[in-house]
Amino acid sequence: MKIAVLGTGVVGNTIGSKLIRLNHKVMMGSRTADNEKAKAWVELNGTNASQGTFNNAAEFADIIFLCTKGEVTLEVLKMIDVNAFKNKTVIDVSNPLDFSRGMPPSLIISNTNSLGEEIQKLLPDAYVVKSLNIVNCEVMVNPKKTNGDPTMFMCGNDNDAKLLVKKLLEDFGWNDIIDLGDITGARAMEMILPIWLRTYMATQNAYIGFKILR
């Protein structure tokens, strides 16, 4: 498949590289077509890797991963022609974290709304699915780094899009996947981040996950 990764940070780099290893064609999108981080990523990942602007990547892809920092995600999406998202699955892994007062961060939006919902409002003709936001990026693409079989959540309004995302999650190595329903499930998923961060601070271990026992 042709997949866009929006964002050149460690999350976009990790997910993009995993997708290349799974034989997808991946374009990394950034604010400028000649972004140095994207260029370095392309050089490391071979002929199935390419780079462009956010708009180039969204237009190129069948599936789009949002790997930008949560506080700028909506700003980034507003830079892109909304038609580039039409009838496409958009996988939101971002979190609405506010680090302005240091650690641990607070949530910019929570409880009665979520970043996932705001993304869906901004992209009404896209199929937004929230997933992977509850773990470290290395665990996102290799859940065995937790030394266990952790649970991954997802939510979204379109069942076909969620089936597509479930297949990608399985390709990443996730076996225990729970569908939390429509996009309002993103509220709960984003509110998991404070406990994840506190656990990380307490254990100094980023390779942690959550397991639902049932």
Side-chain angles (χ1 to χ4, degrees):
M1 288 187 291
K2 294 190 294 184
I3 301 178
V5 171
L6 305 188
T8 61
V10 64
V11 178
N13 193 305
T14 302
I15 288 178
S17 298
K18 178 68 173 186
L19 291 166
I20 291 287
R21 293 195 297 273
L22 292 170
N23 295 317
H24 298 293
K25 295 183 184 298
V26 182
M27 181 179 287
M28 181 173 282
S30 56
R31 292 176 187 268
T32 60
D34 58 351
N35 180 279
E36 288 298 320
K37 288 183 179 180
K39 181 180 179 182
W41 174 82
V42 170
E43 290 173 352
L44 283 173
N45 283 281
T47 56
N48 280 341
S50 59
Q51 71 182 100
T53 64
F54 288 130
N55 206 85
N56 294 151
E59 289 179 339
F60 159 84
D62 304 309
I63 298 172
I64 299 162
F65 275 86
L66 298 183
C67 301
T68 49
K69 290 183 178 180
E71 71 258 31
V72 300
T73 294
L74 297 177
E75 173 195 333
V76 164
L77 292 177
K78 289 174 183 176
M79 297 170 60
I80 304 169
D81 181 356
V82 69
N83 292 313
F85 296 97
K86 190 171 183 179
N87 298 325
K88 294 181 182 179
T89 296
V90 176
I91 304 171
D92 172 31
V93 308
S94 63
N95 283 298
L97 299 176
D98 178 4
F99 289 95
S100 63
R101 298 183 182 180
M103 287 287 285
S106 59
L107 296 175
I108 297 167
I109 184 171
S110 66
N111 195 26
T112 58
N113 198 2
S114 66
L115 182 57
E117 288 169 86
E118 288 301 309
I119 292 167
Q120 184 63 85
K121 290 174 191 173
L122 197 61
L123 308 175
D125 295 322
Y127 310 122
V128 178
V129 178
K130 189 89 181 185
S131 195
L132 293 174
N133 70 301
I134 63 169
V135 293
N136 162 280
C137 61
E138 293 181 55
V139 176
M140 289 179 186
V141 301
N142 183 9
K144 289 185 173 60
K145 275 189 171 285
T146 62
N147 291 318
D149 184 32
T151 302
M152 180 48 64
F153 301 114
M154 67 175 180
C155 68
N157 295 340
D158 187 86
N159 287 329
D160 289 338
K162 286 190 286 188
L163 286 173
L164 182 59
V165 173
K166 184 173 185 287
K167 176 61 169 61
L168 281 173
L169 293 176
E170 290 169 344
D171 290 344
F172 284 0
W174 291 93
N175 299 310
D176 186 19
I177 302 165
I178 297 178
D179 183 347
L180 297 182
D182 67 21
I183 195 62
T184 61
R187 301 175 191 180
M189 293 172 63
E190 293 170 9
M191 287 192 284
I192 288 175
L193 261 292
I195 188 62
W196 186 96
L197 284 158
R198 286 283 186 172
T199 303
Y200 165 68
M201 292 168 68
T203 64
Q204 292 300 296
N205 177 15
Y207 301 140
I208 53 177
F210 300 94
K211 183 67 178 178
I212 302 301
L213 303 178
R214 68 253 195 222

